[in-house]
Amino acid sequence: MHLAAADLGALLQLLPVQRAGIALLLAAIGLPVIGVVIVGLDIMPVRFAMMHVALLGIAVGLLTGLDPMLCALVACALAGAGVAPLARTPDGLSGAMGLLMSLAIAAALLLLAVSGVNASGAFALLWGSILSVGTPDLIVLGVLAAVVPGLFWWRRRDVGLLLYDRELAQCSGVPVRALTAALLVLVAIAVAGAIKLTGALLVDALTLLPALAARRLGSSLKSITLWAVGIGVAVNTTGFLLALWLDWPPGPVLVLTAGAVVLAVHFTPERRISSWRAPASTSLPSSH
């Protein structure tokens, strides 16, 4: 059963719905760029690990009486910075992420069990609560929407080299360790910041899926990033309105909408090249 147009219009006048829509638009600016980083650095396990770390942070927040989402953001940021030295190779980082996932979920479950805190609030993050988005959530997403594209533009040559080839970036004078650490922290905060919108299990809809579609359409790091943001805006807007119209949960609808775009792009003829990393480097000289 779906809503009539008049009912949908009335629904869009509600403050929680408006906040959710603004949050998704802000997320569409910063989070798909994070997806480009995840794909470029080949650090897929990071997002899974940060979901578990966020659960630990929320458990700490529930125990101490602090804002659970703030604790989740801080925990993810510290975890991202902590694993940065292990990111010399994807294999090294994958092992660290596996250890981090296991320790974080074990610590969260033990903390919740020993403290007697109601675990329902912590596990609610698995499903998301987009209509409960508040001002602090909008601030976090707004900062990400400004900082992530800003860092890409400010250090676009260094980021392009790092995503293309770590050793080449090192030889070219790029501060590889510092830049990798900064990107990992941003990835970690982005995952934590997106959890309330779609839930931990579906966070890929806002980060990874737009990037996967964009890498098929773009011919350079710049164009891939722009495509990712454009796809993110289109998917988030369409998916959210569709979820409201059909009265379905927004998280799954966003994932299915993004997945449909990825599949549609995948089945279009590839007009340029098979690897998106190579053109990222060819565009570097023009960014001096």
Side-chain angles (χ1 to χ4, degrees):
M1 181 177 181
H2 57 76
L3 299 176
D7 294 332
L8 179 59
L11 197 59
L12 292 173
Q13 299 300 317
L14 299 177
L15 182 59
V17 175
Q18 292 176 352
R19 283 182 173 175
I22 293 172
L24 285 172
L25 287 177
L26 291 174
I29 298 174
L31 300 188
V33 184
I34 291 295
V36 174
V37 173
I38 292 174
V39 174
L41 291 179
D42 194 17
I43 52 173
M44 303 293 183
V46 168
R47 67 194 196 283
F48 296 116
M50 293 308 156
M51 295 172 196
H52 291 74
V53 172
L55 177 61
L56 174 59
I58 289 176
V60 171
L62 292 174
L63 177 63
T64 59
L66 299 174
D67 186 328
M69 288 308 299
L70 177 61
C71 292
L73 287 169
V74 172
C76 286
L78 292 175
V83 300
L86 302 174
R88 296 176 182 176
T89 64
D91 291 339
L93 188 60
S94 296
M97 290 300 101
L99 176 62
L100 184 60
M101 279 191 287
S102 301
L103 294 179
I105 191 63
L109 293 175
L110 181 62
L111 187 62
L112 291 170
V114 172
S115 64
V117 173
N118 186 353
S120 62
F123 287 102
L125 73 90
L126 294 175
W127 321 115
S129 182
I130 192 170
L131 294 180
S132 68
V133 167
T135 301
D137 303 301
L138 293 178
I139 291 174
V140 171
L141 293 171
V143 170
L144 286 170
V147 170
V148 175
L151 177 62
F152 253 58
W153 177 256
W154 176 44
R155 304 302 295 267
R156 58 191 181 278
R157 176 181 177 276
D158 292 350
V159 171
L161 278 170
L162 178 61
L163 297 185
Y164 175 63
D165 187 285
R166 185 185 179 92
E167 292 184 2
L168 177 61
Q170 185 84 54
C171 296
S172 301
V174 176
V176 168
R177 290 187 179 181
L179 186 57
T180 301
L183 291 175
L184 283 174
V185 169
L186 286 177
V187 168
I189 294 176
V191 170
I195 281 177
K196 185 175 283 190
L197 300 182
T198 62
L201 299 178
L202 303 177
V203 73
D204 285 350
L206 303 181
T207 54
L208 191 62
L209 295 184
L212 290 176
R215 70 174 182 173
R216 181 93 177 183
L217 299 171
S219 58
S220 67
L221 180 61
K222 178 181 178 181
S223 64
I224 288 169
T225 303
L226 292 175
W227 269 111
V229 173
I231 292 170
V233 171
V235 164
N236 288 6
T237 303
T238 303
F240 185 54
L241 291 176
L242 188 61
L244 292 176
W245 182 54
L246 296 173
D247 194 22
W248 289 354
V253 175
L254 287 168
V255 173
L256 292 173
T257 304
V261 172
V262 174
L263 289 174
V265 169
H266 177 75
F267 286 111
T268 58
E270 193 165 11
R271 295 170 297 175
R272 297 179 179 89
I273 53 174
S274 58
S275 173
W276 73 276
R277 293 187 176 187
S281 65
T282 60
S283 64
L284 295 175
S286 61
S287 62
H288 282 287

